[in-house]
PDB file of all heavy atoms in Angstrom:
ATOM      1  N   LEU A 395     -79.041 132.332 181.565  1.00 94.00           N
ATOM      2  CA  LEU A 395     -77.815 131.962 180.844  1.00 94.00           C
ATOM      3  C   LEU A 395     -76.979 131.059 181.740  1.00 94.00           C
ATOM      4  O   LEU A 395     -76.683 131.412 182.884  1.00 94.00           O
ATOM      5  CB  LEU A 395     -77.003 133.211 180.487  1.00 94.00           C
ATOM      6  CG  LEU A 395     -77.659 134.217 179.538  1.00 94.00           C
ATOM      7  CD1 LEU A 395     -76.861 135.506 179.509  1.00 94.00           C
ATOM      8  CD2 LEU A 395     -77.765 133.638 178.140  1.00 94.00           C
ATOM      9  N   THR A 396     -76.607 129.888 181.233  1.00 94.00           N
ATOM     10  CA  THR A 396     -75.814 128.957 182.034  1.00 94.00           C
ATOM     11  C   THR A 396     -74.630 128.425 181.230  1.00 94.00           C
ATOM     12  O   THR A 396     -74.633 128.446 179.998  1.00 94.00           O
ATOM     13  CB  THR A 396     -76.654 127.760 182.510  1.00 94.00           C
ATOM     14  OG1 THR A 396     -77.072 126.991 181.370  1.00 94.00           O
ATOM     15  CG2 THR A 396     -77.875 128.225 183.282  1.00 94.00           C
ATOM     16  N   ARG A 397     -73.648 127.937 181.955  1.00 92.00           N
ATOM     17  CA  ARG A 397     -72.558 127.163 181.353  1.00 92.00           C
ATOM     18  C   ARG A 397     -72.107 126.128 182.364  1.00 92.00           C
ATOM     19  O   ARG A 397     -72.217 126.322 183.586  1.00 92.00           O
ATOM     20  CB  ARG A 397     -71.401 128.048 180.913  1.00 92.00           C
ATOM     21  CG  ARG A 397     -70.736 128.873 181.984  1.00 92.00           C
ATOM     22  CD  ARG A 397     -69.341 129.382 181.532  1.00 92.00           C
ATOM     23  NE  ARG A 397     -69.329 129.969 180.238  1.00 92.00           N
ATOM     24  CZ  ARG A 397     -69.420 131.267 179.979  1.00 92.00           C
ATOM     25  NH1 ARG A 397     -69.579 132.113 180.984  1.00 92.00           N
ATOM     26  NH2 ARG A 397     -69.381 131.730 178.758  1.00 92.00           N
ATOM     27  N   LEU A 398     -71.595 125.014 181.872  1.00 91.00           N
ATOM     28  CA  LEU A 398     -71.128 123.931 182.722  1.00 91.00           C
ATOM     29  C   LEU A 398     -69.610 123.977 182.783  1.00 91.00           C
ATOM     30  O   LEU A 398     -68.932 123.927 181.757  1.00 91.00           O
ATOM     31  CB  LEU A 398     -71.598 122.581 182.156  1.00 91.00           C
ATOM     32  CG  LEU A 398     -71.498 121.362 183.078  1.00 91.00           C
ATOM     33  CD1 LEU A 398     -72.353 121.562 184.326  1.00 91.00           C
ATOM     34  CD2 LEU A 398     -71.931 120.103 182.340  1.00 91.00           C
ATOM     35  N   GLU A 399     -69.082 124.113 183.993  1.00 90.00           N
ATOM     36  CA  GLU A 399     -67.639 124.143 184.208  1.00 90.00           C
ATOM     37  C   GLU A 399     -67.261 122.945 185.059  1.00 90.00           C
ATOM     38  O   GLU A 399     -67.321 122.992 186.295  1.00 90.00           O
ATOM     39  CB  GLU A 399     -67.227 125.453 184.888  1.00 90.00           C
ATOM     40  CG  GLU A 399     -67.535 126.691 184.061  1.00 90.00           C
ATOM     41  CD  GLU A 399     -67.175 127.983 184.768  1.00 90.00           C
ATOM     42  OE1 GLU A 399     -66.893 127.931 185.993  1.00 90.00           O
ATOM     43  OE2 GLU A 399     -67.173 129.045 184.104  1.00 90.00           O
ATOM     44  N   GLY A 400     -66.922 121.842 184.386  1.00 89.00           N
ATOM     45  CA  GLY A 400     -66.630 120.615 185.109  1.00 89.00           C
ATOM     46  C   GLY A 400     -67.892 120.094 185.765  1.00 89.00           C
ATOM     47  O   GLY A 400     -68.895 119.811 185.111  1.00 89.00           O
ATOM     48  N   LYS A 401     -67.874 119.975 187.081  1.00 91.00           N
ATOM     49  CA  LYS A 401     -69.023 119.500 187.835  1.00 91.00           C
ATOM     50  C   LYS A 401     -69.743 120.651 188.541  1.00 91.00           C
ATOM     51  O   LYS A 401     -70.470 120.426 189.510  1.00 91.00           O
ATOM     52  CB  LYS A 401     -68.590 118.434 188.848  1.00 91.00           C
ATOM     53  CG  LYS A 401     -68.107 117.136 188.205  1.00 91.00           C
ATOM     54  CD  LYS A 401     -67.882 116.068 189.244  1.00 91.00           C
ATOM     55  CE  LYS A 401     -67.500 114.743 188.591  1.00 91.00           C
ATOM     56  NZ  LYS A 401     -67.340 113.664 189.602  1.00 91.00           N
ATOM     57  N   VAL A 402     -69.529 121.850 188.040  1.00 93.00           N
ATOM     58  CA  VAL A 402     -70.188 123.022 188.605  1.00 93.00           C
ATOM     59  C   VAL A 402     -71.065 123.658 187.523  1.00 93.00           C
ATOM     60  O   VAL A 402     -70.582 123.972 186.434  1.00 93.00           O
ATOM     61  CB  VAL A 402     -69.172 124.048 189.139  1.00 93.00           C
ATOM     62  CG1 VAL A 402     -69.886 125.301 189.620  1.00 93.00           C
ATOM     63  CG2 VAL A 402     -68.334 123.450 190.264  1.00 93.00           C
ATOM     64  N   LEU A 403     -72.336 123.807 187.830  1.00 94.00           N
ATOM     65  CA  LEU A 403     -73.246 124.526 186.933  1.00 94.00           C
ATOM     66  C   LEU A 403     -73.202 125.995 187.322  1.00 94.00           C
ATOM     67  O   LEU A 403     -73.515 126.351 188.459  1.00 94.00           O
ATOM     68  CB  LEU A 403     -74.670 123.996 187.064  1.00 94.00           C
ATOM     69  CG  LEU A 403     -75.719 124.741 186.238  1.00 94.00           C
ATOM     70  CD1 LEU A 403     -75.500 124.511 184.756  1.00 94.00           C
ATOM     71  CD2 LEU A 403     -77.133 124.347 186.652  1.00 94.00           C
ATOM     72  N   ARG A 404     -72.810 126.850 186.389  1.00 94.00           N
ATOM     73  CA  ARG A 404     -72.699 128.278 186.664  1.00 94.00           C
ATOM     74  C   ARG A 404     -73.826 129.018 185.945  1.00 94.00           C
ATOM     75  O   ARG A 404     -73.966 128.936 184.722  1.00 94.00           O
ATOM     76  CB  ARG A 404     -71.350 128.818 186.218  1.00 94.00           C
ATOM     77  CG  ARG A 404     -71.176 130.304 186.523  1.00 94.00           C
ATOM     78  CD  ARG A 404     -69.771 130.782 186.238  1.00 94.00           C
ATOM     79  NE  ARG A 404     -69.675 132.223 186.398  1.00 94.00           N
ATOM     80  CZ  ARG A 404     -69.458 132.855 187.542  1.00 94.00           C
ATOM     81  NH1 ARG A 404     -69.317 132.141 188.654  1.00 94.00           N
ATOM     82  NH2 ARG A 404     -69.380 134.168 187.602  1.00 94.00           N
ATOM     83  N   ILE A 405     -74.638 129.734 186.718  1.00 95.00           N
ATOM     84  CA  ILE A 405     -75.697 130.580 186.156  1.00 95.00           C
ATOM     85  C   ILE A 405     -75.125 131.977 185.995  1.00 95.00           C
ATOM     86  O   ILE A 405     -74.916 132.695 186.974  1.00 95.00           O
ATOM     87  CB  ILE A 405     -76.930 130.592 187.073  1.00 95.00           C
ATOM     88  CG1 ILE A 405     -77.469 129.175 187.251  1.00 95.00           C
ATOM     89  CG2 ILE A 405     -78.016 131.498 186.494  1.00 95.00           C
ATOM     90  CD1 ILE A 405     -78.613 129.066 188.226  1.00 95.00           C
ATOM     91  N   GLU A 406     -74.837 132.343 184.758  1.00 93.00           N
ATOM     92  CA  GLU A 406     -74.206 133.635 184.492  1.00 93.00           C
ATOM     93  C   GLU A 406     -75.176 134.793 184.662  1.00 93.00           C
ATOM     94  O   GLU A 406     -74.780 135.892 185.043  1.00 93.00           O
ATOM     95  CB  GLU A 406     -73.614 133.650 183.076  1.00 93.00           C
ATOM     96  CG  GLU A 406     -72.500 132.646 182.850  1.00 93.00           C
ATOM     97  CD  GLU A 406     -71.243 132.974 183.638  1.00 93.00           C
ATOM     98  OE1 GLU A 406     -71.149 134.084 184.197  1.00 93.00           O
ATOM     99  OE2 GLU A 406     -70.342 132.127 183.703  1.00 93.00           O
ATOM    100  N   ASP A 407     -76.451 134.542 184.375  1.00 93.00           N
ATOM    101  CA  ASP A 407     -77.435 135.596 184.565  1.00 93.00           C
ATOM    102  C   ASP A 407     -78.822 134.987 184.618  1.00 93.00           C
ATOM    103  O   ASP A 407     -79.096 133.945 184.005  1.00 93.00           O
ATOM    104  CB  ASP A 407     -77.378 136.638 183.452  1.00 93.00           C
ATOM    105  CG  ASP A 407     -77.515 138.046 184.007  1.00 93.00           C
ATOM    106  OD1 ASP A 407     -78.274 138.209 184.983  1.00 93.00           O
ATOM    107  OD2 ASP A 407     -76.866 138.962 183.488  1.00 93.00           O
ATOM    108  N   LEU A 408     -79.685 135.643 185.365  1.00 95.00           N
ATOM    109  CA  LEU A 408     -81.067 135.206 185.504  1.00 95.00           C
ATOM    110  C   LEU A 408     -81.936 136.426 185.724  1.00 95.00           C
ATOM    111  O   LEU A 408     -81.679 137.232 186.619  1.00 95.00           O
ATOM    112  CB  LEU A 408     -81.211 134.226 186.676  1.00 95.00           C
ATOM    113  CG  LEU A 408     -82.648 133.814 187.043  1.00 95.00           C
ATOM    114  CD1 LEU A 408     -83.333 133.129 185.874  1.00 95.00           C
ATOM    115  CD2 LEU A 408     -82.632 132.905 188.267  1.00 95.00           C
ATOM    116  N   MET A 409     -82.934 136.593 184.877  1.00 94.00           N
ATOM    117  CA  MET A 409     -83.926 137.656 185.010  1.00 94.00           C
ATOM    118  C   MET A 409     -85.308 137.028 185.022  1.00 94.00           C
ATOM    119  O   MET A 409     -85.633 136.213 184.157  1.00 94.00           O
ATOM    120  CB  MET A 409     -83.857 138.652 183.850  1.00 94.00           C
ATOM    121  CG  MET A 409     -82.714 139.639 183.918  1.00 94.00           C
ATOM    122  SD  MET A 409     -81.268 139.019 183.078  1.00 94.00           S
ATOM    123  CE  MET A 409     -80.222 140.476 183.108  1.00 94.00           C
ATOM    124  N   LEU A 410     -86.126 137.412 185.990  1.00 94.00           N
ATOM    125  CA  LEU A 410     -87.489 136.923 186.075  1.00 94.00           C
ATOM    126  C   LEU A 410     -88.439 138.096 186.283  1.00 94.00           C
ATOM    127  O   LEU A 410     -88.131 139.022 187.032  1.00 94.00           O
ATOM    128  CB  LEU A 410     -87.643 135.934 187.233  1.00 94.00           C
ATOM    129  CG  LEU A 410     -86.964 134.568 187.078  1.00 94.00           C
ATOM    130  CD1 LEU A 410     -87.003 133.809 188.391  1.00 94.00           C
ATOM    131  CD2 LEU A 410     -87.628 133.757 185.977  1.00 94.00           C
TER     132      LEU A 410
END
Side-chain angles (χ1 to χ4, degrees):
L395 297 169
T396 65
R397 59 163 48 96
L398 194 61
E399 298 178 348
K401 293 188 176 183
V402 176
L403 176 68
R404 182 173 174 85
I405 301 175
E406 297 292 349
D407 222 324
L408 173 60
M409 283 91 171
L410 290 170

